[in-house]
Amino acid sequence: MKFEISHRDGGSSARAGLLTTDHGIIESPFFMPVGTAGAVKALHVSDLNTEIKAQIMLSNTYHLYLRPGSDIVAKAGGLHKFNGWQKPILTDSGGYQIYSLGAMRKFTDDGVVFQSHIDGSRHAFTPEKAMDVQRQLGADIIMAFDECTPYPCDEAYARKSLKRTHYWLSRCITHFNITDCPHGYRQSLFPIVQGSVYPGLRVESAKFISDQGAEGNAIGGLSVGEPASMMYEMTALVCDILPTDKPRYLMGVGTPANILESVALGVDMFDCVIPTRNGRNGMLFTRNGIINIKNEKWKDDFSPLEADGEVFADQIYSKAFLRHLFISKEILSAMIATTHNLGFYIWLMKEARKKIIEGHFIEWKERMVKQLMQRL
RNA sequence: GGGGGGAUACCAGAGCGGUCAAAUGGGGCAGACUGUAAAUCUGUUGGCGCAGCCUUCGGAGGUUCGAAUCCUCCUCUCCCCA
């Protein structure tokens, strides 16, 4: 994998670059649509590729491990062959999913013992296991096995957890280095900075992560309920320490505003379920602001979803029609909303990149943040 | 013609003397959702000067301290037999 920064914004830490993988080149900064179980919900890979023009998708180790099983995906020849997506893929290690299980899991220093949310069966994940499974799945970028701390989280626990995440990282790297991708192309391992909302821990973690010399670095444990200002503060702190010449990935973020603010801080990669999940629940992100398409006010608004939108659904469908589909619980409602929202997110990243290259990202960002987050 | 049910809030449908402004669904309206246990979940759905009051359970009377709940008549419905 290769990362080359071509442009830097004058008024912020934003940068534009190219990330090269064995499945293609990605223009940064970029957003990764989330396809938890190997598919972006309500979407064909052809639409993700041709219409939405996503450059990379994200998938999940935890989910694919439980179902259909990483051996099945490996037998298919890896996730790209299994789901038909030929561009780059990133898999999350499963740390976050297991954290989300709440009472159904238990962390130990060796790893995590958890129960499947599907059938309650018991499983154990260790750093080595997370590497093995991700080798089998065959994503271009794989993530270290970490513990995502909740918010709030007391400092003592955050410190203990951080120590564990760092210990696990060492084991991930060791195991990663003695294994190979069984599908004949290269994979990169990204470590994850933790430390909750404690500056001291974040700095310590960012230094430790930087010292690993990975091809890219991630910031985790944010956007878990803390105030946005705190998230930006931690992100800024960490970005100042992480290597400049390596891609930075802010995990799980976020709203259009969150993303633009973080791009300004020097983040290159994002993923979030908001455009897909909220889309399925009737929330549309548009260039003028946020729409709850289920609201009565749209019932006779026959204007297109997004007059200047680049995705076919933006032009073809009206707000009133999409509202009708949602109210009628038609499957197409989820497809249209997902297509629109992801199209919007990808467009937003492309615009951000353009503004960085032009050198006036920050002014544009200020204007967009206000505009994009207002409720229509 | 004879016999037997039933009429409850937008709809369906509980309640069968006080704890009922009235269960539960659906529908309506609104909100939430940030490395997806989510095509999910939550709130709300008679009125008002809203920790209280007012008007509601087909209509009109009546019994009772007190009725959606009991009695009488009326109206409308549904079912069975001729």
Side-chain angles (χ1 to χ4, degrees):
Chain A
M1 197 177 87
K2 192 172 72 180
F3 182 58
E4 290 173 316
I5 295 172
S6 56
H7 302 270
R8 291 175 187 280
D9 180 51
S12 73
S13 299
R15 61 261 193 93
L18 294 177
L19 182 65
T20 305
T21 75
D22 283 359
H23 283 92
I25 298 171
I26 307 166
E27 297 184 335
S28 77
F30 59 91
F31 178 81
M32 304 179 275
V34 178
T36 303
V40 174
K41 296 184 194 300
L43 219 59
H44 284 289
V45 289
S46 57
D47 283 345
L48 191 61
N49 183 27
T50 312
E51 276 299 322
I52 293 163
K53 298 186 170 62
Q55 307 186 82
I56 172 172
M57 75 174 279
L58 179 147
S59 201
N60 272 281
T61 302
Y62 166 83
H63 296 266
L64 293 171
Y65 160 78
L66 286 181
R67 190 167 56 191
S70 44
D71 52 338
I72 295 294
V73 177
K75 198 172 173 182
L79 192 50
H80 298 85
K81 291 228 169 63
F82 190 49
N83 73 359
W85 175 254
Q86 294 310 314
K87 290 180 178 176
I89 298 176
L90 179 149
T91 46
D92 186 19
S93 65
Y96 183 84
Q97 283 63 52
I98 293 167
Y99 140 84
S100 302
L101 291 175
M104 291 174 73
R105 48 85 172 133
K106 186 171 164 54
F107 282 95
T108 69
D109 283 342
D110 190 51
V112 184
V113 176
F114 62 95
Q115 279 184 271
S116 161
H117 70 279
I118 300 165
D119 61 6
S121 56
R122 289 167 196 286
H123 302 265
F125 250 51
T126 60
E128 293 76 19
K129 177 82 175 174
M131 291 301 102
D132 285 338
V133 173
Q134 290 188 91
R135 283 296 198 192
Q136 284 189 295
L137 297 177
D140 300 270
I141 300 171
I142 70 175
M143 301 305 299
F145 191 59
D146 67 334
E147 178 181 356
C148 180
T149 49
Y151 180 84
C153 172
D154 67 72
E155 190 166 0
Y157 186 82
R159 175 174 288 110
K160 186 182 161 194
S161 170
L162 179 62
K163 194 178 165 195
R164 184 147 65 200
T165 286
H166 289 174
Y167 168 56
W168 285 357
L169 173 61
S170 304
R171 286 170 56 184
C172 281
I173 292 172
T174 300
H175 200 71
F176 178 78
N177 287 337
I178 60 168
T179 54
D180 287 309
C181 174
H183 311 300
Y185 47 81
R186 272 178 44 80
Q187 293 180 288
S188 299
L189 171 64
F190 282 24
I192 304 169
V193 173
Q194 288 290 343
S196 188
V197 294
Y198 303 102
L201 296 181
R202 283 285 171 183
V203 167
E204 180 189 333
S205 185
K207 285 179 177 163
F208 181 85
I209 297 306
S210 300
D211 289 344
Q212 308 305 315
E215 295 183 283
N217 301 290
I219 306 168
L222 293 176
S223 65
V224 288
E226 78 285 0
S229 59
M230 214 171 249
M231 174 171 86
Y232 299 142
E233 189 191 326
M234 293 302 124
T235 302
L237 198 60
V238 169
C239 282
D240 275 349
I241 297 167
L242 291 178
T244 301
D245 59 343
K246 295 287 162 47
R248 300 175 183 138
Y249 166 27
L250 182 54
M251 305 182 77
V253 173
T255 64
N258 291 159
I259 289 175
L260 294 185
E261 295 292 359
S262 303
V263 165
L265 298 173
V267 176
D268 310 291
M269 307 167 56
F270 300 89
D271 81 280
C272 189
V273 302
I274 281 181
T276 43
R277 181 197 287 167
N278 290 26
R280 289 194 305 281
N281 293 332
M283 184 184 277
L284 262 50
F285 295 90
T286 76
R287 301 182 191 191
N288 298 315
I290 296 169
I291 287 175
N292 181 342
I293 199 67
K294 290 194 273 195
N295 284 179
E296 189 174 25
K297 63 194 290 192
W298 306 112
K299 70 178 175 191
D300 56 357
D301 186 326
F302 306 111
S303 63
L305 296 180
E306 182 94 83
D308 302 321
E310 293 170 0
V311 170
F312 74 97
D314 292 339
Q315 312 296 335
I316 292 176
Y317 303 112
S318 68
K319 298 180 183 78
F321 182 62
L322 182 55
R323 171 179 142 88
H324 157 69
L325 294 180
F326 265 102
I327 298 296
S328 307
K329 296 183 168 61
E330 285 289 330
I331 292 173
L332 185 59
S333 63
M335 300 169 67
I336 293 172
T338 301
T339 304
H340 165 77
N341 276 353
L342 285 179
F344 171 80
Y345 264 63
I346 299 300
W347 167 83
L348 186 66
M349 300 312 286
K350 204 172 75 187
E351 285 296 298
R353 178 178 159 84
K354 194 166 26 170
K355 299 300 173 186
I356 294 168
I357 291 172
E358 290 169 358
H360 44 256
F361 171 77
I362 203 77
E363 306 91 289
W364 173 80
K365 183 216 80 177
E366 290 302 327
R367 199 174 71 243
M368 291 307 276
V369 164
K370 287 197 195 94
Q371 189 175 317
L372 300 179
M373 297 312 287
Q374 66 186 344
R375 301 284 177 144
L376 299 180

